[in-house]
Coordinates of all heavy atoms in Angstrom, one line a residue:
R1448 N 7.2 -11.4 11.1 CA 6.1 -11.5 10.3 C 5.9 -10.4 9.3 O 5.6 -10.6 8.1 CB 4.9 -11.7 11.2 CG 3.7 -12.1 10.4 CD 2.6 -12.5 11.4 NE 1.4 -12.6 10.6 CZ 0.6 -13.5 10.6 NH1 0.7 -14.5 11.5 NH2 -0.5 -13.5 9.9
W1449 N 6.2 -9.2 9.7 CA 6.1 -8.0 8.8 C 7.2 -8.1 7.7 O 7.0 -7.6 6.6 CB 6.2 -6.7 9.6 CG 7.5 -6.4 10.3 CD1 7.8 -6.8 11.6 CD2 8.6 -5.8 9.8 NE1 9.0 -6.4 11.9 CE2 9.6 -5.8 10.8 CE3 8.9 -5.2 8.6 CZ2 10.9 -5.2 10.6 CZ3 10.2 -4.7 8.4 CH2 11.2 -4.7 9.4
K1450 N 8.4 -8.7 8.0 CA 9.4 -8.8 7.0 C 8.9 -9.7 5.9 O 9.2 -9.5 4.7 CB 10.7 -9.3 7.7 CG 11.4 -8.3 8.6 CD 12.6 -8.9 9.2 CE 13.3 -7.9 10.1 NZ 14.5 -8.4 10.7
D1451 N 8.2 -10.8 6.3 CA 7.7 -11.7 5.2 C 6.7 -10.9 4.3 O 6.6 -11.1 3.1 CB 7.0 -12.9 5.9 CG 8.0 -13.8 6.5 OD1 9.2 -13.8 6.1 OD2 7.6 -14.6 7.4
A1452 N 5.9 -10.1 5.0 CA 4.9 -9.3 4.2 C 5.6 -8.4 3.2 O 5.2 -8.2 2.1 CB 4.0 -8.5 5.2
I1453 N 6.7 -7.7 3.7 CA 7.4 -6.8 2.8 C 8.1 -7.6 1.7 O 8.0 -7.2 0.5 CB 8.5 -6.0 3.6 CG1 7.7 -5.0 4.5 CG2 9.4 -5.3 2.7 CD1 8.6 -4.3 5.4
R1454 N 8.6 -8.8 2.0 CA 9.2 -9.6 0.9 C 8.2 -10.0 -0.1 O 8.5 -10.0 -1.3 CB 9.9 -10.9 1.5 CG 11.3 -10.7 1.9 CD 12.0 -12.0 2.2 NE 11.6 -12.5 3.5 CZ 12.1 -12.2 4.6 NH1 13.1 -11.3 4.7 NH2 11.7 -12.7 5.8
T1455 N 7.0 -10.4 0.4 CA 6.0 -10.8 -0.6 C 5.5 -9.7 -1.4 O 5.3 -9.8 -2.6 CB 4.8 -11.4 0.2 OG1 5.3 -12.6 1.0 CG2 3.7 -11.9 -0.7
S1456 N 5.4 -8.5 -0.8 CA 4.9 -7.3 -1.5 C 6.0 -6.9 -2.6 O 5.6 -6.6 -3.7 CB 4.7 -6.1 -0.6 OG 3.7 -6.4 0.3
M1457 N 7.2 -7.0 -2.3 CA 8.3 -6.7 -3.2 C 8.3 -7.7 -4.4 O 8.5 -7.3 -5.5 CB 9.7 -6.6 -2.5 CG 9.8 -5.5 -1.5 SD 9.5 -3.8 -2.2 CE 10.9 -3.7 -3.4
A1458 N 8.1 -8.9 -4.1 CA 8.1 -10.0 -5.1 C 6.9 -9.7 -6.1 O 7.1 -9.8 -7.3 CB 8.0 -11.3 -4.5
E1459 N 5.8 -9.3 -5.6 CA 4.6 -9.0 -6.4 C 4.9 -7.8 -7.3 O 4.5 -7.7 -8.4 CB 3.4 -8.9 -5.5 CG 2.9 -10.2 -4.9 CD 2.5 -11.2 -6.0 OE1 1.9 -10.9 -7.0 OE2 3.0 -12.4 -5.8
I1460 N 5.5 -6.8 -6.7 CA 5.8 -5.6 -7.5 C 6.8 -5.9 -8.6 O 6.6 -5.4 -9.7 CB 6.4 -4.5 -6.5 CG1 5.3 -4.0 -5.6 CG2 7.0 -3.3 -7.3 CD1 5.7 -3.0 -4.5
R1461 N 7.8 -6.7 -8.3 CA 8.7 -7.1 -9.4 C 8.0 -7.9 -10.5 O 8.3 -7.7 -11.7 CB 9.8 -8.0 -8.8 CG 11.0 -7.2 -8.2 CD 12.1 -8.1 -7.8 NE 12.6 -7.7 -6.5 CZ 12.4 -8.2 -5.3 NH1 11.7 -9.3 -5.3 NH2 12.9 -7.7 -4.2
K1462 N 7.1 -8.8 -10.1 CA 6.3 -9.5 -11.1 C 5.5 -8.6 -12.0 O 5.4 -8.7 -13.2 CB 5.4 -10.5 -10.5 CG 6.0 -11.7 -9.9 CD 4.9 -12.7 -9.4 CE 5.5 -13.7 -8.4 NZ 4.4 -14.5 -7.8
L1463 N 4.9 -7.6 -11.3 CA 4.1 -6.6 -12.1 C 5.0 -5.8 -13.1 O 4.7 -5.6 -14.2 CB 3.5 -5.6 -11.1 CG 2.7 -4.5 -11.7 CD1 1.4 -5.0 -12.4 CD2 2.2 -3.5 -10.6
G1464 N 6.2 -5.5 -12.6 CA 7.1 -4.8 -13.5 C 7.6 -5.6 -14.7 O 7.8 -5.1 -15.8
L1465 N 7.8 -6.9 -14.4 CA 8.3 -7.8 -15.5 C 7.2 -8.2 -16.4 O 7.4 -8.3 -17.6 CB 8.9 -9.1 -14.8 CG 10.2 -8.9 -14.1 CD1 10.6 -10.2 -13.4 CD2 11.3 -8.5 -15.1
H1466 N 6.0 -8.5 -15.9 CA 5.0 -9.1 -16.8 C 3.8 -8.2 -17.1 O 3.0 -8.4 -18.0 CB 4.4 -10.4 -16.1 CG 5.5 -11.4 -15.8 ND1 6.2 -12.1 -16.7 CD2 6.0 -11.8 -14.6 CE1 7.1 -12.9 -16.2 NE2 7.0 -12.7 -14.9
G1467 N 3.7 -7.1 -16.3 CA 2.6 -6.2 -16.5 C 1.3 -6.7 -16.1 O 1.2 -7.8 -15.4
V1468 N 0.2 -6.1 -16.5 CA -1.1 -6.5 -16.2 C -1.8 -7.0 -17.5 O -1.5 -6.5 -18.5 CB -2.0 -5.5 -15.5 CG1 -1.4 -5.1 -14.1 CG2 -2.2 -4.2 -16.3
T1469 N -2.7 -7.9 -17.3 CA -3.5 -8.3 -18.5 C -4.7 -7.4 -18.7 O -5.0 -6.6 -17.8 CB -4.1 -9.7 -18.3 OG1 -5.0 -9.7 -17.2 CG2 -2.9 -10.7 -18.0
S1470 N -5.3 -7.5 -19.8 CA -6.5 -6.6 -20.0 C -7.6 -6.9 -19.0 O -8.3 -6.0 -18.6 CB -7.0 -6.7 -21.5 OG -7.4 -8.0 -21.8
G1471 N -7.8 -8.2 -18.7 CA -8.8 -8.5 -17.7 C -8.5 -7.9 -16.3 O -9.4 -7.5 -15.6
E1472 N -7.2 -8.0 -15.9 CA -6.8 -7.4 -14.7 C -7.0 -5.9 -14.7 O -7.5 -5.3 -13.7 CB -5.3 -7.7 -14.4 CG -5.0 -9.1 -14.0 CD -3.6 -9.4 -14.0 OE1 -2.8 -8.8 -14.7 OE2 -3.2 -10.3 -13.1
M1473 N -6.7 -5.3 -15.8 CA -6.9 -3.8 -16.0 C -8.4 -3.5 -15.8 O -8.7 -2.5 -15.1 CB -6.3 -3.4 -17.3 CG -6.5 -1.9 -17.6 SD -5.2 -0.9 -16.9 CE -5.5 0.6 -17.8
E1474 N -9.2 -4.2 -16.4 CA -10.6 -4.0 -16.3 C -11.1 -4.1 -14.9 O -11.9 -3.3 -14.4 CB -11.4 -4.9 -17.2 CG -11.3 -4.6 -18.7 CD -12.0 -5.6 -19.6 OE1 -12.9 -6.3 -19.1 OE2 -11.6 -5.8 -20.8
R1475 N -10.7 -5.2 -14.2 CA -11.1 -5.4 -12.8 C -10.6 -4.3 -11.9 O -11.3 -3.7 -11.0 CB -10.6 -6.7 -12.3 CG -11.3 -7.9 -12.8 CD -11.0 -9.2 -12.0 NE -9.6 -9.5 -11.9 CZ -8.9 -10.2 -12.9 NH1 -9.5 -10.5 -14.0 NH2 -7.7 -10.4 -12.7
Y1476 N -9.3 -3.8 -12.1 CA -8.8 -2.7 -11.3 C -9.6 -1.4 -11.5 O -9.9 -0.7 -10.6 CB -7.3 -2.5 -11.5 CG -6.4 -3.7 -11.2 CD1 -5.3 -3.9 -12.0 CD2 -6.8 -4.7 -10.3 CE1 -4.4 -5.0 -11.7 CE2 -5.9 -5.7 -10.0 CZ -4.8 -5.9 -10.7 OH -4.0 -7.0 -10.5
A1477 N -9.8 -1.2 -12.8 CA -10.6 0.1 -13.1 C -12.0 0.0 -12.6 O -12.5 1.0 -12.0 CB -10.6 0.2 -14.6
S1478 N -12.6 -1.1 -12.7 CA -14.0 -1.3 -12.1 C -14.0 -1.1 -10.6 O -14.9 -0.4 -10.1 CB -14.5 -2.6 -12.5 OG -15.8 -2.8 -11.9
S1479 N -13.0 -1.6 -9.9 CA -12.9 -1.5 -8.5 C -12.7 0.0 -8.1 O -13.3 0.5 -7.2 CB -11.8 -2.4 -8.0 OG -11.7 -2.2 -6.6
L1480 N -11.8 0.6 -8.8 CA -11.5 2.0 -8.6 C -12.8 2.9 -8.7 O -13.1 3.7 -7.9 CB -10.4 2.5 -9.5 CG -10.0 4.0 -9.3 CD1 -9.4 4.2 -7.9 CD2 -9.0 4.4 -10.4
M1481 N -13.5 2.6 -9.8 CA -14.7 3.4 -10.1 C -15.8 3.1 -9.0 O -16.6 4.0 -8.6 CB -15.2 3.1 -11.5 CG -14.4 3.8 -12.5 SD -14.1 5.6 -12.3 CE -15.7 6.3 -12.2
T1482 N -15.9 1.9 -8.6 CA -16.9 1.5 -7.6 C -16.6 2.3 -6.3 O -17.5 2.8 -5.7 CB -16.9 0.0 -7.3 OG1 -17.3 -0.7 -8.5 CG2 -17.8 -0.4 -6.2
D1483 N -15.3 2.3 -5.9 CA -14.9 3.1 -4.7 C -15.2 4.5 -4.8 O -15.8 5.2 -3.9 CB -13.4 2.9 -4.4 CG -13.1 1.5 -3.9 OD1 -14.0 0.7 -3.5 OD2 -11.9 1.2 -3.8
A1484 N -14.9 5.1 -6.0 CA -15.1 6.5 -6.2 C -16.7 6.8 -6.2 O -17.1 7.9 -5.7 CB -14.5 7.0 -7.5
E1485 N -17.4 5.9 -6.8 CA -18.9 6.1 -6.9 C -19.5 6.1 -5.5 O -20.4 6.9 -5.1 CB -19.5 5.0 -7.7 CG -21.0 5.1 -8.0 CD -21.4 4.1 -9.0 OE1 -20.8 3.9 -10.0 OE2 -22.4 3.4 -8.6
Q1486 N -19.0 5.1 -4.6 CA -19.5 5.0 -3.3 C -19.2 6.3 -2.5 O -20.0 6.8 -1.7 CB -19.0 3.8 -2.6 CG -19.6 2.5 -3.1 CD -18.9 1.3 -2.5 OE1 -17.8 1.3 -1.9 NE2 -19.5 0.1 -2.8
L1487 N -18.0 6.8 -2.7 CA -17.6 8.0 -1.9 C -18.4 9.2 -2.4 O -18.9 10.0 -1.6 CB -16.1 8.3 -2.2 CG -15.5 9.5 -1.4 CD1 -15.6 9.3 0.1 CD2 -14.1 9.7 -1.8
A1488 N -18.6 9.3 -3.7 CA -19.4 10.4 -4.3 C -20.9 10.3 -3.8 O -21.5 11.4 -3.5 CB -19.4 10.4 -5.8
A1489 N -21.4 9.1 -3.6 CA -22.8 8.9 -3.2 C -22.9 9.4 -1.7 O -24.0 9.8 -1.3 CB -23.2 7.5 -3.3
Q1490 N -21.8 9.4 -1.0 CA -21.9 9.9 0.4 C -22.1 11.4 0.5 O -22.6 11.9 1.4 CB -20.7 9.4 1.2 CG -20.6 8.0 1.5 CD -19.4 7.6 2.2 OE1 -18.6 8.4 2.7 NE2 -19.1 6.3 2.3
G1491 N -21.5 12.1 -0.5 CA -21.7 13.5 -0.6 C -21.4 14.3 0.6 O -20.3 14.2 1.2
D1492 N -22.3 15.0 1.1 CA -22.2 15.8 2.3 C -22.2 15.1 3.6 O -22.1 15.6 4.7 CB -23.3 16.9 2.3 CG -23.1 17.9 1.2 OD1 -22.0 18.0 0.6 OD2 -24.2 18.5 0.9
R1493 N -22.4 13.8 3.5 CA -22.5 13.0 4.8 C -21.2 12.4 5.3 O -21.1 11.7 6.3 CB -23.5 11.8 4.5 CG -24.9 12.2 4.2 CD -25.9 11.0 4.1 NE -25.4 10.0 3.2 CZ -25.7 9.9 1.9 NH1 -26.5 10.8 1.4 NH2 -25.3 8.9 1.2
I1494 N -20.1 12.9 4.7 CA -18.8 12.4 5.1 C -18.4 13.2 6.4 O -18.6 14.5 6.4 CB -17.7 12.7 4.0 CG1 -18.1 11.8 2.8 CG2 -16.3 12.3 4.5 CD1 -17.2 12.2 1.6
S1495 N -18.0 12.5 7.4 CA -17.7 13.2 8.7 C -16.6 14.2 8.6 O -15.7 14.1 7.7 CB -17.3 12.2 9.8 OG -16.0 11.7 9.5
H1496 N -16.6 15.2 9.5 CA -15.6 16.2 9.4 C -14.2 15.7 9.7 O -13.2 16.1 9.1 CB -15.9 17.3 10.5 CG -17.1 18.1 10.2 ND1 -17.2 19.0 9.2 CD2 -18.3 18.1 10.8 CE1 -18.4 19.5 9.1 NE2 -19.1 19.0 10.1
G1497 N -14.1 14.6 10.5 CA -12.9 14.0 10.8 C -12.3 13.3 9.6 O -11.1 13.4 9.3
D1498 N -13.2 12.6 8.8 CA -12.7 12.0 7.6 C -12.3 13.0 6.5 O -11.3 12.8 5.8 CB -13.8 11.1 7.0 CG -14.0 9.8 7.8 OD1 -13.1 9.5 8.6 OD2 -15.1 9.2 7.6
Q1499 N -13.0 14.1 6.5 CA -12.7 15.2 5.5 C -11.3 15.8 5.9 O -10.5 16.0 5.0 CB -13.8 16.3 5.5 CG -15.1 15.8 4.8 CD -16.1 16.9 4.8 OE1 -15.9 18.0 5.2 NE2 -17.3 16.6 4.4
L1500 N -11.1 16.0 7.2 CA -9.8 16.5 7.6 C -8.7 15.6 7.3 O -7.6 16.0 6.8 CB -9.9 16.9 9.1 CG -8.6 17.5 9.7 CD1 -8.2 18.8 9.0 CD2 -8.8 17.7 11.2
S1501 N -8.9 14.3 7.6 CA -7.8 13.3 7.2 C -7.5 13.3 5.7 O -6.4 13.3 5.3 CB -8.3 11.9 7.7 OG -8.4 11.9 9.0
Y1502 N -8.6 13.4 4.9 CA -8.4 13.4 3.5 C -7.6 14.7 3.0 O -6.7 14.6 2.2 CB -9.8 13.3 2.8 CG -9.7 13.5 1.3 CD1 -8.9 12.6 0.5 CD2 -10.5 14.4 0.6 CE1 -8.9 12.8 -0.9 CE2 -10.4 14.6 -0.7 CZ -9.6 13.7 -1.5 OH -9.6 13.9 -2.9
L1503 N -8.0 15.8 3.6 CA -7.3 17.1 3.3 C -5.8 17.0 3.7 O -5.0 17.4 2.9 CB -8.0 18.2 4.0 CG -7.3 19.6 3.8 CD1 -7.3 20.0 2.4 CD2 -8.0 20.6 4.7
M1504 N -5.5 16.5 4.9 CA -4.1 16.4 5.3 C -3.3 15.5 4.4 O -2.2 15.8 4.0 CB -4.1 16.0 6.8 CG -4.6 17.0 7.7 SD -4.4 16.7 9.5 CE -4.8 15.0 9.7
E1505 N -3.9 14.3 4.1 CA -3.2 13.4 3.2 C -3.0 14.0 1.8 O -1.9 13.9 1.2 CB -4.1 12.1 3.0 CG -3.4 11.1 2.1 CD -4.3 9.8 2.0 OE1 -5.1 9.6 2.8 OE2 -4.1 9.1 1.0
T1506 N -4.0 14.7 1.3 CA -3.9 15.4 0.0 C -2.8 16.4 0.0 O -2.0 16.4 -0.9 CB -5.3 16.1 -0.4 OG1 -6.3 15.1 -0.4 CG2 -5.2 16.8 -1.7
V1507 N -2.7 17.2 1.0 CA -1.7 18.3 1.1 C -0.3 17.6 1.2 O 0.6 18.0 0.6 CB -2.0 19.2 2.3 CG1 -0.8 20.1 2.5 CG2 -3.2 20.0 2.0
A1508 N -0.2 16.6 2.1 CA 1.1 15.9 2.3 C 1.6 15.3 1.0 O 2.8 15.2 0.8 CB 0.9 14.8 3.4
N1509 N 0.7 14.8 0.2 CA 1.2 14.2 -1.1 C 1.2 15.1 -2.3 O 1.5 14.7 -3.4 CB 0.2 13.0 -1.4 CG 0.5 11.9 -0.5 OD1 1.6 11.4 -0.3 ND2 -0.6 11.4 0.2
G1510 N 0.9 16.4 -2.1 CA 0.9 17.4 -3.1 C -0.2 17.2 -4.2 O 0.0 17.6 -5.3
H1511 N -1.3 16.6 -3.8 CA -2.4 16.4 -4.7 C -3.4 17.5 -4.6 O -3.3 18.3 -3.7 CB -3.1 15.0 -4.4 CG -2.2 13.9 -4.5 ND1 -2.4 12.6 -4.0 CD2 -1.0 13.7 -5.2 CE1 -1.5 11.8 -4.3 NE2 -0.6 12.4 -5.0
A1512 N -4.3 17.5 -5.6 CA -5.4 18.5 -5.6 C -6.5 18.0 -4.7 O -6.9 16.9 -4.8 CB -5.9 18.8 -7.0
F1513 N -7.0 18.9 -3.8 CA -8.1 18.5 -3.0 C -9.4 18.7 -3.8 O -9.7 19.7 -4.4 CB -8.2 19.4 -1.7 CG -9.3 19.1 -0.8 CD1 -9.1 18.0 0.0 CD2 -10.4 19.8 -0.7 CE1 -10.1 17.6 1.0 CE2 -11.4 19.5 0.2 CZ -11.3 18.4 1.0
M1514 N -10.2 17.6 -3.9 CA -11.5 17.7 -4.6 C -12.6 17.1 -3.8 O -12.4 16.4 -2.8 CB -11.3 16.7 -5.9 CG -10.3 17.2 -6.9 SD -10.3 16.0 -8.3 CE -8.9 15.0 -7.8
S1515 N -13.8 17.5 -4.2 CA -15.0 17.0 -3.5 C -15.1 15.5 -4.0 O -14.5 15.1 -5.0 CB -16.2 17.8 -4.0 OG -16.6 17.5 -5.3
P1516 N -15.9 14.7 -3.3 CA -16.1 13.3 -3.7 C -16.6 13.2 -5.2 O -16.2 12.4 -5.9 CB -17.1 12.8 -2.7 CG -16.8 13.6 -1.5 CD -16.5 14.9 -2.0
M1517 N -17.5 14.1 -5.6 CA -18.0 14.1 -6.9 C -17.0 14.5 -7.9 O -16.9 13.9 -9.0 CB -19.3 15.0 -7.0 CG -19.9 14.9 -8.4 SD -20.3 13.3 -9.0 CE -21.8 12.9 -8.0
Q1518 N -16.2 15.5 -7.6 CA -15.1 15.8 -8.5 C -14.1 14.7 -8.7 O -13.6 14.4 -9.8 CB -14.3 17.1 -8.0 CG -15.1 18.4 -8.1 CD -14.4 19.5 -7.4 OE1 -13.9 19.3 -6.2 NE2 -14.4 20.7 -8.0
S1519 N -13.8 14.0 -7.6 CA -12.9 12.9 -7.6 C -13.4 11.8 -8.5 O -12.7 11.2 -9.3 CB -12.6 12.4 -6.2 OG -11.7 11.3 -6.2
Y1520 N -14.7 11.5 -8.4 CA -15.4 10.5 -9.2 C -15.3 10.9 -10.7 O -14.9 10.1 -11.5 CB -16.9 10.4 -8.8 CG -17.6 9.5 -9.7 CD1 -17.6 8.1 -9.7 CD2 -18.5 10.1 -10.7 CE1 -18.3 7.3 -10.6 CE2 -19.2 9.3 -11.6 CZ -19.1 7.9 -11.5 OH -19.8 7.1 -12.4
Q1521 N -15.6 12.1 -11.0 CA -15.6 12.6 -12.4 C -14.1 12.5 -13.0 O -14.0 12.1 -14.1 CB -16.1 14.0 -12.5 CG -17.6 14.1 -12.2 CD -18.1 15.5 -12.0 OE1 -17.3 16.4 -11.7 NE2 -19.4 15.7 -12.1
M1522 N -13.1 12.9 -12.2 CA -11.8 12.9 -12.7 C -11.3 11.5 -12.8 O -10.5 11.2 -13.7 CB -10.8 13.7 -11.8 CG -11.1 15.2 -11.7 SD -11.2 15.9 -13.4 CE -9.5 15.8 -13.8
S1523 N -11.7 10.6 -11.9 CA -11.3 9.2 -12.0 C -11.9 8.6 -13.3 O -11.2 7.9 -14.1 CB -11.8 8.4 -10.8 OG -11.2 8.8 -9.7
A1524 N -13.2 8.9 -13.6 CA -13.8 8.4 -14.8 C -13.1 8.9 -16.0 O -12.8 8.2 -17.0 CB -15.3 8.8 -14.8
K1525 N -12.8 10.2 -16.0 CA -12.1 10.8 -17.2 C -10.7 10.2 -17.4 O -10.3 9.9 -18.5 CB -12.0 12.3 -17.0 CG -11.4 13.1 -18.1 CD -11.4 14.6 -17.9 CE -10.8 15.3 -19.1 NZ -10.9 16.8 -18.8
A1526 N -10.0 10.0 -16.3 CA -8.6 9.4 -16.4 C -8.7 8.0 -16.9 O -7.8 7.6 -17.8 CB -7.9 9.5 -15.0
L1527 N -9.6 7.2 -16.4 CA -9.7 5.8 -16.8 C -10.1 5.7 -18.3 O -9.8 4.6 -18.9 CB -10.6 5.0 -15.9 CG -10.0 4.8 -14.5 CD1 -11.0 4.2 -13.6 CD2 -8.7 4.0 -14.6
T1528 N -10.8 6.6 -18.8 CA -11.1 6.5 -20.3 C -9.9 6.8 -21.2 O -10.0 6.4 -22.3 CB -12.3 7.5 -20.6 OG1 -11.9 8.8 -20.4 CG2 -13.5 7.2 -19.9
T1529 N -8.9 7.4 -20.7 CA -7.8 7.7 -21.5 C -6.6 6.9 -21.2 O -5.6 6.8 -22.0 CB -7.3 9.2 -21.4 OG1 -7.0 9.5 -20.0 CG2 -8.5 10.1 -21.8
L1530 N -6.6 6.2 -20.1 CA -5.4 5.4 -19.6 C -5.4 4.1 -20.4 O -6.4 3.4 -20.6 CB -5.5 5.1 -18.1 CG -4.4 4.3 -17.5 CD1 -3.1 5.2 -17.5 CD2 -4.7 4.0 -16.0
T1531 N -4.2 3.7 -21.0 CA -4.1 2.5 -21.7 C -3.3 1.5 -20.9 O -2.5 1.8 -20.0 CB -3.3 2.7 -23.0 OG1 -2.0 3.1 -22.8 CG2 -4.0 3.8 -23.9
I1532 N -3.5 0.2 -21.3 CA -2.7 -0.9 -20.6 C -1.3 -0.7 -20.9 O -0.4 -1.1 -20.0 CB -3.3 -2.2 -21.0 CG1 -2.8 -3.3 -20.1 CG2 -3.0 -2.5 -22.5 CD1 -3.5 -4.6 -20.3
E1533 N -0.9 -0.2 -22.0 CA 0.5 0.0 -22.3 C 1.1 1.0 -21.4 O 2.3 0.9 -20.9 CB 0.7 0.5 -23.8 CG 0.4 -0.6 -24.8 CD -1.1 -0.7 -25.1 OE1 -1.9 0.2 -24.7 OE2 -1.5 -1.8 -25.7
E1534 N 0.4 2.1 -21.1 CA 0.9 3.1 -20.1 C 1.1 2.5 -18.7 O 2.0 2.8 -18.0 CB -0.1 4.3 -20.1 CG -0.1 5.1 -21.4 CD -1.2 6.2 -21.4 OE1 -2.3 5.9 -20.9 OE2 -0.9 7.3 -21.9
V1535 N 0.1 1.7 -18.3 CA 0.1 1.1 -17.0 C 1.4 0.2 -17.0 O 2.1 0.2 -16.0 CB -1.2 0.3 -16.7 CG1 -1.0 -0.5 -15.5 CG2 -2.3 1.3 -16.6
N1536 N 1.5 -0.7 -18.0 CA 2.7 -1.6 -17.9 C 4.0 -0.9 -18.1 O 5.0 -1.3 -17.5 CB 2.5 -2.6 -19.0 CG 1.4 -3.6 -18.7 OD1 1.0 -3.8 -17.5 ND2 0.8 -4.2 -19.7
Q1537 N 4.1 0.2 -18.8 CA 5.3 1.0 -18.9 C 5.7 1.6 -17.5 O 6.8 1.5 -17.1 CB 5.2 2.1 -19.9 CG 6.5 2.9 -20.0 CD 6.3 4.0 -21.1 OE1 5.3 4.1 -21.7 NE2 7.4 4.8 -21.2
A1538 N 4.6 2.1 -16.8 CA 4.9 2.7 -15.5 C 5.3 1.6 -14.5 O 6.2 1.9 -13.7 CB 3.6 3.4 -15.0
A1539 N 4.7 0.4 -14.6 CA 5.1 -0.7 -13.7 C 6.6 -1.1 -14.0 O 7.3 -1.3 -13.1 CB 4.2 -1.9 -13.9
A1540 N 6.9 -1.1 -15.3 CA 8.3 -1.5 -15.6 C 9.3 -0.5 -15.1 O 10.4 -0.8 -14.6 CB 8.5 -1.7 -17.1
E1541 N 8.9 0.8 -15.2 CA 9.8 1.9 -14.7 C 9.9 1.9 -13.2 O 11.0 2.1 -12.6 CB 9.3 3.2 -15.2 CG 9.4 3.5 -16.6 CD 8.7 4.8 -17.1 OE1 8.2 5.5 -16.3 OE2 8.7 5.0 -18.3
L1542 N 8.9 1.5 -12.5 CA 8.9 1.4 -11.1 C 9.9 0.3 -10.6 O 10.5 0.5 -9.5 CB 7.5 1.0 -10.6 CG 7.3 0.9 -9.1 CD1 7.5 2.2 -8.4 CD2 5.9 0.3 -8.8
C1543 N 10.0 -0.7 -11.4 CA 10.9 -1.8 -11.0 C 12.3 -1.7 -11.6 O 13.1 -2.6 -11.3 CB 10.3 -3.1 -11.4 SG 8.7 -3.4 -10.5
S1544 N 12.6 -0.7 -12.3 CA 13.9 -0.6 -13.0 C 14.9 0.2 -12.0 O 14.6 0.8 -11.1 CB 13.9 0.1 -14.3 OG 13.4 1.4 -14.2

């Protein structure tokens, strides 16, 4: 069953690389990302120590910058205002080449 899931995922990634995303899809993805970032920022200091530790370990493992939830929200908003659909589709095409 997991092999089918991997095959399906790979087929979707190939489609993304070939056809890219539409402006409507881009808007939905950006909106969803901002909603998630906003919800995390709203939690502020109420995030459990265990969740903070998991986030820190994941951040270090991936070589990313560790940010507070509010900083992450602000940076997401800033990044999404400059990101173009052409850049997204070019990155998708490169991922599949």
Side-chain angles (χ1 to χ4, degrees):
R1448 193 169 163 132
W1449 64 269
K1450 289 180 182 180
D1451 290 336
I1453 290 175
R1454 266 192 287 278
T1455 300
S1456 297
M1457 293 302 296
E1459 289 302 313
I1460 290 170
R1461 276 189 221 102
K1462 285 183 199 175
L1463 179 64
L1465 290 173
H1466 305 291
V1468 296
T1469 66
S1470 59
E1472 289 170 327
M1473 178 85 167
E1474 288 176 25
R1475 284 194 306 278
Y1476 300 150
S1478 176
S1479 178
L1480 180 63
M1481 286 310 301
T1482 297
D1483 288 349
E1485 188 175 307
Q1486 289 173 349
L1487 184 61
Q1490 291 179 11
D1492 295 339
R1493 297 185 309 267
I1494 299 171
S1495 74
H1496 294 292
D1498 287 345
Q1499 288 179 8
L1500 180 59
S1501 294
Y1502 174 57
L1503 176 60
M1504 291 188 317
E1505 181 181 338
T1506 300
V1507 170
N1509 289 307
H1511 297 160
F1513 184 77
M1514 295 181 262
S1515 73
M1517 183 53 74
Q1518 289 171 317
S1519 181
Y1520 172 79
Q1521 292 167 339
M1522 294 306 293
S1523 295
K1525 185 176 181 179
L1527 288 173
T1528 60
T1529 62
L1530 186 64
T1531 67
I1532 194 167
E1533 291 80 16
E1534 291 171 322
V1535 170
N1536 288 336
Q1537 180 181 357
E1541 289 172 6
L1542 179 67
C1543 295
S1544 62

